Amino acid sequence: MFSQETLHVDFDTTNPDIQFNSWNSSSSFAKVANPDASGINTSANVGQFTAGNDNGIGIGVIDPTTVFTMPFDLTALSYFKMKVWSSDEITVTFHIENSPDWGNYLEATATVDSNQLNQWVELTFDFSGEANIFMNNIVLKIDGNNTSQGSVYYFDDITGPGLYSGPAVAFDPVSAATEVPVVSNLLIQTNSTFRNLDDTAISDLTGKVALKTPDANGTDVAFTAAINDDKHTITLDPSADLSNATVYWFGVVDNAIEYADDTPVTGVSSTFTTKAATTGTVQEMLFDFDTTNADLAFTSWGGTGFEKIANPDQTGINTSDHVGKYIHGGNDSGLENDLVNGDSPLAPFDFSETPYIRVKVWVDTPVDVSIKLQNYPDWGQGLEQKLSVTETNQWVELVFNYSAVTATNYNRAQIYFDKDMSAGATSGDVFYFDDYEKSNIPPQTSVSYSPADGATDVNLFGNMTIAANLALRMLDDTEITDVASIAWLKKGSATGTDVPFSGSISSDKTTITIDPDQLLDVSSTYHYGLNDQAVEVASNETPLTGIAASFTTRSTEPSTQLYNDFEDNGTSVCALVETMGDPAPDFSLVADPADAQNQVLKFEKNTSWGGWSRVHLELAQPIDMTGDHIYSMKVYSPIETYVRLKIGDQKDDGGDFKERDADISIINGWQTLYFDFSSFNITATDYKHISIYFAGGDATAYDFLIDDFTGPNLVSSDNDGDGVSNDIDNCPDTPNADQADEDNDGIGNACDPDYVADEIVVVNFEDTDLDFG
């Protein structure tokens, strides 16, 4: 049974002044008089769609929340209808999405064929089986064989499901779901917002949500809970893997919280059943270009090319007939599997069942190969991993480890060769890949070191990493939480002097990072490693022994100076410290959480600019590009993420600039990050702007702390070397005899090289902001 169709737009009486727009100013919209008031559409006004140069974008409703005050209720009616007039055969895509989360969308298509031209026809867009509670905007896309820039089409009378009359709730896993992975997180979502009964924002969910087995009256299951910044999604994270083939219940405790309209939350719960335990070997092919998805294409958003071709080297581990040809686009774009009927042909990965992704590759030069598994259509959700390939001109199998991933909605596969072009790949370079499969067979254990064992001329800054290809844990099967208890760093020898450091382990439990507290000494040998029999490989319970490496540092120290230590009376060469965003995030000087006597900068990152709000420093003088190009800062972060440092000739985006990234691996503790720009050939002489981005692209609010920002020396403003800036002393570079006592008072002037001051000038700077650091 379906509810009655609701008229949403007719340009005459229902939303007569609604406006559509293209975010990239490609296709355009206008409300016009009906050019053909006949047949099934005799209304006075219609919408005009004018095609642009990018017909994959279309036009969407401007400010949809003022037009569609609640999302569309797809559970009551599962289709939309729209009248269309065209002189060409076209495909119309009806795209519904969530504003402002545009990555959350659904699409359906319908066509105008040859016997429907030059007349009004009604198209139906079927969303059967969809129950997304967030769809509150309409986007229209039109394309055809004869569509070109300037092609004109008309549309009218958009009808569909009505709007929700009150808050709705959705669950993931959906109610009564079966075959649920045992590593799943559990989501409770509303298209309103959740809040406390006293109307305050929820920060603590203790006693407000529950997880039990097998029902609401069953046994409590341990979990942690969190709510997102927009307060519409509650996540329950089980403290351990769920049991196989077991029924679970989760939900909100009745009358513990309320919706934004003051309605108490009641009856909000769901049940699901987990998968039976997997037994035996699992190797499931995703793409092999011969039998499984044999003719499925790979596409690129940024120019990387793909062809299915005959295997150019049917030897070794790959004698199959066909493979994928990867043609580098000269940028950081890669390939992703194409869609079938508008959706990914892959089922979401269950990493508890098949934690490894295997891919065969062929390269003619050593490169890094990355794969990324992500969600379609929300491409913002996903995880990328990278492995190095050193064997050339032969087929090599790479095994990527996703055993620590709990996401259960990744359903699209990507691949990149030399994504950052560090190996020198350029547009048109060719690589090959084949046999993309998921498996539960782990690779042989391997460990890599950075710096490499025996490395010389190593920088004095940075960190040491010990990276395994499989997840690590303590011998008692617990997680590694105290890296300092299992790792070591010593000077001189493996039994030498202890070097203080901070330690961390990556979220996937494969990489241990050792961060020295201070710069290392020049021309010195250091050893680092793990205590024998301290940790084991989780997948095969193999204890690790002999994990150690050594390196020798370079013979010179980088020449740097302190730019800002954020002390009121501290040295600073910064003319300006500010934040940028819309609105600009708050920032302030606060006490160091580890040392109350130390003052640091607090950056309260907000959600503006798509997660690219920033801290901006303007230096008093340009950076001296003839010296070292090393920058460092101390950071204190609530999350593992990355920091991007950008130096350039202007503070806004654009201009001439260079960028470097560094990873934060320590949570709620100080870590020194280093940024090496020495590989850049910078000829500019006016770089005095520095931008700092935390978790760029992550539109989530977090608080970060910064201290002791250092960088290369600045261009000197003291050309005559007298220790006084020429901006102040106004002395020529070579004083002459006449300048010794110009006022004939018997006292030499400051420009006199033999001058000895015997006068004191008192100046009142009480009401100024001058900094004489």
Side-chain angles (χ1 to χ4, degrees):
M1 298 291 294
F2 291 112
S3 67
Q4 185 176 356
E5 296 173 1
T6 298
L7 177 62
H8 293 294
V9 179
D10 69 1
F11 301 109
D12 291 316
T13 58
T14 303
N15 288 315
D17 299 317
I18 192 171
Q19 292 291 313
F20 290 78
N21 191 25
S22 170
W23 68 263
N24 69 346
S25 301
S26 176
S27 302
S28 61
F29 162 80
K31 173 183 173 180
V32 299
N34 188 343
D36 183 8
S38 64
I40 64 171
N41 188 16
T42 59
S43 65
N45 298 292
V46 299
Q48 176 179 284
F49 181 109
T50 303
N53 57 7
D54 184 353
N55 294 313
I57 299 300
I59 55 175
V61 177
I62 301 174
D63 198 7
T65 56
T66 64
V67 179
F68 311 119
T69 54
M70 288 289 287
F72 304 109
D73 186 357
L74 294 172
T75 63
L77 188 71
S78 61
Y79 61 87
F80 286 81
K81 292 182 178 179
M82 182 173 67
K83 294 172 183 173
V84 175
W85 191 102
S86 173
S87 59
D88 302 317
E89 295 181 51
I90 56 174
T91 297
V92 180
T93 300
F94 199 94
H95 170 117
I96 51 177
E97 66 184 13
N98 172 245
S99 172
D101 183 10
W102 303 283
N104 183 5
Y105 68 86
L106 303 169
E107 289 185 341
T109 60
T111 60
V112 176
D113 57 33
S114 59
N115 62 359
Q116 297 174 309
L117 303 182
N118 302 308
Q119 59 182 300
W120 284 103
V121 296
E122 186 172 64
L123 304 181
T124 299
F125 303 90
D126 187 3
F127 291 93
S128 295
E130 301 290 355
N132 193 309
I133 64 173
F134 293 102
M135 301 293 94
N136 64 350
N137 193 17
I138 293 172
V139 176
L140 304 176
K141 306 175 188 178
I142 301 178
D143 200 4
N145 292 333
N146 296 319
T147 300
S148 59
Q149 189 168 355
S151 296
V152 173
Y153 310 100
Y154 303 96
F155 63 99
D156 199 10
D157 295 346
I158 300 175
T159 61
L163 307 181
Y164 280 103
S165 59
V169 177
F171 303 95
D172 185 9
V174 297
S175 185
T178 59
E179 297 293 300
V180 174
V182 297
V183 296
S184 298
N185 287 338
L186 316 175
L187 305 183
I188 305 171
Q189 297 181 298
T190 179
N191 54 15
S192 175
T193 57
F194 295 118
R195 67 185 184 192
N196 290 316
L197 296 176
D198 62 1
D199 296 353
T200 59
I202 296 174
S203 58
D204 183 3
L205 285 160
T206 303
K208 298 170 184 175
V209 291
L211 172 61
K212 299 173 182 288
T213 181
D215 54 37
N217 298 314
T219 303
D220 287 326
V221 178
F223 67 93
T224 57
I227 188 168
N228 69 339
D229 289 335
D230 292 328
K231 307 302 181 184
H232 62 56
T233 299
I234 295 173
T235 300
L236 281 66
D237 183 4
S239 301
D241 288 355
L242 301 176
S243 299
N244 291 103
T246 302
V247 177
Y248 288 89
W249 174 98
F250 70 103
V252 177
V253 176
D254 283 352
N255 297 301
I257 59 176
E258 66 181 17
Y259 300 109
D261 64 358
D262 287 324
T263 304
V265 179
T266 60
V268 173
S269 64
S270 178
T271 60
F272 63 90
T273 305
T274 54
K275 282 184 173 182
T278 301
T279 59
T281 298
V282 178
Q283 286 183 277
E284 184 177 335
M285 187 64 65
L286 303 177
F287 316 100
D288 67 2
F289 305 111
D290 288 317
T291 58
T292 303
N293 286 316
D295 297 314
L296 185 69
F298 276 70
T299 57
S300 173
W301 60 263
T304 297
F306 167 81
E307 290 181 59
K308 172 184 171 179
I309 64 167
N311 187 345
D313 184 8
Q314 289 183 286
T315 61
I317 64 171
N318 189 15
T319 58
S320 66
D321 291 333
H322 297 93
V323 300
K325 179 180 179 181
Y326 181 108
I327 307 164
H328 204 288
N331 52 37
D332 63 355
S333 66
L335 296 175
E336 59 190 8
N337 67 273
D338 208 351
L339 305 178
V340 177
N341 297 323
D343 205 352
S344 175
L346 303 183
F349 296 96
D350 179 358
F351 298 114
S352 65
E353 185 177 70
T354 51
Y356 308 108
I357 302 296
R358 294 172 175 265
V359 185
K360 292 174 183 172
V361 300
W362 192 102
V363 301
D364 58 4
T365 187
V367 297
D368 289 336
V369 177
S370 303
I371 67 166
K372 183 175 183 179
L373 305 180
Q374 66 174 191
N375 172 254
Y376 175 82
D378 189 356
W379 45 264
Q381 299 185 46
L383 181 66
E384 183 173 338
Q385 294 191 3
K386 178 171 64 177
L387 293 174
S388 297
V389 182
T390 57
E391 301 91 340
T392 60
N393 301 308
Q394 59 182 299
W395 284 102
V396 177
E397 184 174 60
L398 303 179
V399 183
F400 297 85
N401 180 14
Y402 281 79
S403 59
V405 180
T406 60
T408 57
N409 65 337
Y410 296 170
N411 61 350
R412 199 171 197 182
Q414 299 178 333
I415 188 167
Y416 304 84
F417 288 80
D418 200 20
K419 182 177 182 180
D420 60 4
M421 294 180 285
S422 59
T426 59
S427 180
D429 286 353
V430 171
F431 308 97
Y432 304 98
F433 67 101
D434 197 12
D435 295 349
Y436 205 125
E437 69 176 5
K438 59 182 181 180
S439 170
N440 66 352
I441 304 174
Q444 292 185 341
T445 304
S446 65
V447 178
S448 61
Y449 304 92
S450 179
D453 188 25
T456 58
D457 199 31
V458 174
N459 281 321
L460 310 182
F461 55 86
N463 52 41
M464 293 92 239
T465 60
I466 300 170
N469 62 332
L470 297 169
L472 304 176
R473 67 185 181 195
M474 303 297 288
L475 290 184
D476 62 1
D477 295 351
T478 59
E479 288 191 0
I480 298 171
T481 57
D482 182 12
V483 170
S485 69
I486 61 172
W488 49 268
L489 172 63
K490 296 179 182 291
K491 180 181 177 182
S493 70
T495 59
T497 304
D498 285 324
V499 178
F501 68 90
S502 298
S504 61
I505 187 167
S506 61
S507 59
D508 64 3
K509 310 304 178 185
T510 63
T511 303
I512 289 173
T513 300
I514 297 172
D515 275 294
D517 292 348
Q518 303 292 335
L519 282 179
L520 302 180
D521 295 333
V522 298
S523 302
S524 299
T525 299
Y526 289 86
H527 294 250
Y528 66 100
L530 302 180
N531 297 330
D532 284 349
Q533 301 284 330
V535 299
E536 67 180 14
V537 177
S539 60
N540 55 29
E541 299 185 339
T542 302
L544 293 183
T545 59
I547 305 301
S550 65
F551 61 90
T552 304
T553 56
R554 63 190 307 177
S555 59
T556 57
E557 288 190 26
S559 178
T560 61
Q561 69 176 94
L562 180 65
Y563 287 173
N564 207 321
D565 62 4
F566 306 106
E567 301 289 341
D568 284 339
N569 59 348
T571 301
S572 174
V573 295
C574 287
L576 175 67
V577 179
E578 64 178 348
T579 60
M580 297 173 61
D582 185 18
D586 291 333
F587 70 107
S588 58
L589 298 178
V590 300
D592 179 348
D595 178 5
Q597 304 305 310
N598 182 42
Q599 188 170 260
V600 300
L601 181 72
K602 179 182 180 182
F603 170 49
E604 300 177 38
K605 179 184 174 179
N606 60 22
T607 60
S608 68
W609 286 357
W612 291 98
S613 59
R614 67 204 69 166
V615 176
H616 169 245
L617 308 179
E618 182 177 351
L619 303 175
Q621 300 291 334
I623 300 167
D624 184 355
M625 295 300 176
T626 62
D628 294 310
H629 291 224
I630 309 300
Y631 301 79
S632 72
M633 73 177 90
K634 295 178 180 176
V635 299
Y636 192 103
S637 170
I639 59 170
E640 283 187 41
T641 183
Y642 77 101
V643 177
R644 175 164 296 173
L645 191 71
K646 173 182 173 181
I647 61 174
D649 61 358
Q650 64 185 53
K651 78 174 191 176
D652 298 316
D653 295 331
D656 189 40
F657 66 88
K658 298 292 184 289
E659 297 175 331
R660 279 281 187 246
D661 294 347
D663 291 328
I664 295 177
S665 57
I666 296 176
I667 298 176
N668 295 326
W670 285 105
Q671 178 179 357
T672 301
L673 300 183
Y674 295 91
F675 304 84
D676 187 356
F677 285 74
S678 56
S679 62
F680 289 116
N681 181 24
I682 305 176
T683 58
T685 59
D686 54 354
Y687 273 32
K688 57 193 296 187
H689 294 278
I690 298 174
S691 294
I692 306 170
Y693 308 83
F694 286 86
D698 180 357
T700 306
Y702 295 108
D703 291 347
F704 299 95
L705 303 181
I706 308 171
D707 198 15
D708 295 344
F709 190 91
T710 70
N713 293 327
L714 305 186
V715 174
S716 174
S717 61
D718 178 21
N719 295 326
D720 53 9
D722 65 357
V724 181
S725 169
N726 290 341
D727 295 338
I728 298 174
D729 66 17
N730 294 316
C731 294
D733 290 344
T734 307
N736 56 50
D738 293 338
Q739 295 166 330
D741 185 10
E742 292 181 350
D743 53 5
N744 297 312
D745 63 357
I747 301 172
N749 291 337
C751 292
D752 178 2
D754 297 324
Y755 166 69
V756 177
D758 63 355
E759 287 186 331
I760 296 177
V761 179
V762 179
V763 183
N764 180 8
F765 290 108
E766 184 175 319
D767 298 321
T768 74
D769 293 325
L770 293 179
D771 183 348
F772 281 87

